[in-house]
Structures are given as structure tokens and as C-alpha cells.
Amino acid sequence: RGPQGSIVLQGGKSTAVPAVPTKAVDTNGAGDMFAGAFLYGITHGMSPAQAAALANRAAAAVVSQHGNRLTTAQTQAICADFLKA
């Protein structure tokens, strides 16, 4: 869904999770980053909507640069910023 964010379906209920505005430079890795961040959130006690919000942030970060990976420092900053919000 890209700039439209994501939709979480759970128990017959759908929740729209807004995208993080970014300028996409290279979309390689966006889906993998979203999936990995979402699964990280779910396995660390986040609700599906919270995990999707984290995943949206991580995917936005990876598409804003060339290449399909984030550094450890970038990943840690995304998580730290997310937990503060």
C-alpha cells in the first residue's frame, strides 16, 4: 500500500495504520523490512497495530535510501524513536 500505510486485520476488525511520509529512493527491501519489523513487534509484546506502525517506520527508512538494508544504528534509532512516541 506504500504511501497509504497498512491495514491490520484481526478478529474481523480492520485497523488502518498510517504511513510514515518519506521520499522513496529505492523500494528494494520494503516488504521484507515491513515483515521483519512487524514480526519483531508481535514477538516482543506489541499489538498488531503497534507492530504495523513500527513496520511502517522501518519500511519508510529503508526506501528512503539506496540499498535494501539498514545499519544496526539505524535500526536501533527507529526502535528508540518508536518507543518514545
Side-chain angles (χ1 to χ4, degrees), residues 22-43:
T22 191
K23 181 179 181 198
V25 174
D26 180 356
T27 60
N28 280 328
D32 289 339
M33 182 59 70
F34 181 92
F38 183 83
L39 291 172
Y40 174 87
I42 291 294
T43 60

Side-chain angles (χ1 to χ4, degrees), residues 2-3 19-27 56-65:
V20 175
T22 191
K23 181 179 181 198
V25 174
D26 180 356
T27 60
N56 284 349
R57 286 185 187 209
V62 82
V63 302
S64 69
Q65 65 179 21

Side-chain angles (χ1 to χ4, degrees), residues 54-78:
L54 174 63
N56 284 349
R57 286 185 187 209
V62 82
V63 302
S64 69
Q65 65 179 21
H66 289 285
N68 59 0
R69 293 183 186 196
L70 298 176
T71 66
T72 300
Q74 287 172 304
T75 304
Q76 290 171 336
I78 290 166

